[in-house]
Amino acid sequence: MHSTVPADVPLIREPLHAPVAHLIRGGVVEGVHYGSVVVLGPDGEVDFRLGDIEAACYPRSALKPVQAVAMVRAGLPLDGELLSLAAASHSGEERHLAGARRILELAGLTEDDLRNVPDLPFDPVVRDTWVREGRPPSRLAQNCSGKHAAMLYTARLNGWSLDDYLDPAHPLQQAIAEIVEDLTGQRVAAVTVDGCGAPLFAVSLRGLARAAARITTAAPGTPEACVADAMREHAEMASGSGRDVAALMRAVPGLLAKDGFEGVQVAALPDGRAVAVKIADGAGRARVPVAAAALVRAGVDASLLKEFEGEVLLGGGRPVGEVRVVRALESVTSPAWG
């Protein structure tokens, strides 16, 4: 069973990463991506590890489902698309902006109350359209606006101050830190500021996987289950059209998945199997195939993950290589869980 008692704080050290993927061009290893991978079984025990799964790391946006759980526990009444958006790193599509506006309206607030950093949309096509139209960066377009709108709504419902809702000492952020420790089963190693301005909590890769597993195995109707259901049923609101994390959730029945900047990926199944990945150089091209290989090691049917095996490298406009996971990650015979 998954422990709910925080264990020792993760070690703050230079991570002992290992090779996780090769860049193969013309049959030669042109580049090597280092990183760390953990696979948990349904009992919460480590079934596979590669690299350093115990060192403190910043999950970045992969921690958003945990933050959303904390807000629901604190009374956030959202569900469906809007709850998915509260846990999102969205692409800045119009539906994402409309959803963030709706959350603010429910709180009786406006975009001016947001304290995230103004930005252009994350999706390159949407961003290019904004630039052509001469639209400036905005707080709504920034990929974390759903989370920030939900934070403001949670703060207003609890009678907490709004101007300083991003202060780590704010009651909202203290409540989130408590749930981070509860779900990861370990104490926070360090607190810093994420790209959007919100507090960011350092945990281990193993702790991140444990938190995802606890969310997907929670009883129906609990805050954890509500967040998991919302994200799975509205995967594009938690990410965007054409995003790999949404495609992963569509490809694997029951899978909850969340990505984070700097090469972080977490995913978990309803029976508690979970994986977490950190790519040392932050490369997205390695994150996806490594996460897919980890899911196969966790027992997911490899045929469901063919499209995530690794991008093809072109030379002169024709395929000459690929991004390929290391042999240690390849699984010929994967465990079959009941």
Side-chain angles (χ1 to χ4, degrees):
M1 299 297 292
H2 303 293
S3 171
T4 59
V5 180
D8 290 338
V9 61
L11 298 173
I12 298 179
R13 65 184 180 206
E14 181 178 349
L16 305 174
H17 291 308
V20 293
H22 290 149
L23 188 68
I24 309 292
R25 184 181 294 271
V28 174
V29 176
E30 184 179 34
V32 180
H33 291 292
Y34 283 72
S36 297
V37 183
V38 62
V39 177
L40 302 183
D43 57 358
E45 295 300 313
V46 175
D47 280 345
F48 175 82
R49 69 174 71 200
L50 183 61
D52 195 342
I53 68 170
E54 303 296 353
C57 69
Y58 290 120
R60 302 299 297 268
S61 288
L63 199 62
K64 282 179 178 172
V66 178
Q67 293 170 309
V69 168
M71 289 188 277
V72 175
R73 287 193 187 186
L76 183 68
L78 300 178
D79 58 12
E81 289 189 350
L82 294 185
L83 182 54
S84 182
L85 185 63
S89 299
H90 66 70
S91 291
E93 299 166 32
E94 286 302 323
R95 59 178 164 179
H96 299 132
L97 276 60
R101 288 192 197 95
R102 179 58 181 155
I103 295 173
L104 290 169
E105 289 170 359
L106 290 170
L109 302 170
T110 70
E111 181 179 357
D112 292 337
D113 294 294
L114 294 171
R115 293 292 179 265
N116 59 323
V117 179
D119 201 357
L120 292 171
F122 179 78
D123 182 89
V125 175
V126 180
R127 183 171 61 246
D128 288 348
T129 299
W130 273 55
V131 172
R132 285 196 303 271
E133 295 175 350
R135 299 173 71 177
S138 78
R139 298 185 192 277
L140 275 180
Q142 198 269 337
N143 76 91
C144 301
S145 66
K147 178 182 76 174
H148 281 254
M151 285 181 170
L152 281 168
Y153 193 9
T154 305
R156 167 141 287 187
L157 289 169
N158 284 276
W160 297 329
S161 57
L162 301 182
D163 289 346
D164 61 341
Y165 75 93
L166 296 182
D167 188 326
H170 191 279
L172 170 66
Q173 303 303 336
Q174 291 291 299
I176 289 174
E178 180 180 340
I179 302 309
V180 169
E181 294 192 333
D182 177 30
L183 294 182
T184 62
Q186 57 191 202
R187 287 178 289 157
V188 169
V191 181
T192 189
V193 181
D194 208 341
C196 65
L200 179 61
F201 307 100
V203 297
S204 74
L205 206 60
R206 181 178 183 176
L208 179 62
R210 184 186 296 121
R214 291 197 59 206
I215 290 173
T216 58
T217 58
T222 60
E224 292 89 337
C226 291
V227 170
D229 289 345
M231 292 182 67
R232 288 182 295 216
E233 292 170 12
H234 304 280
E236 283 75 16
M237 284 297 281
S239 52
S241 303
R243 294 274 292 280
D244 55 65
V245 68
L248 269 173
M249 286 193 276
R250 290 194 303 267
V252 181
L255 184 72
L256 174 69
K258 185 69 187 76
D259 55 346
F261 281 157
E262 298 304 324
V264 181
Q265 180 74 55
V266 67
L269 290 152
D271 64 0
R273 287 174 288 160
V275 307
V277 169
K278 164 64 180 175
I279 305 300
D281 61 6
R285 69 179 180 188
R287 170 183 57 83
V288 177
V290 170
L295 285 168
V296 173
R297 271 202 164 266
V300 174
D301 186 344
S303 67
L304 299 176
L305 297 164
K306 292 292 290 183
E307 66 178 290
F308 307 102
E309 287 183 346
E311 74 178 64
V312 174
L313 302 182
L314 300 179
R318 62 184 181 84
V320 295
E322 64 183 336
V323 176
R324 185 186 306 165
V325 300
V326 297
R327 289 186 178 180
L329 264 172
E330 294 176 345
S331 178
V332 178
T333 55
S334 302
W337 306 110

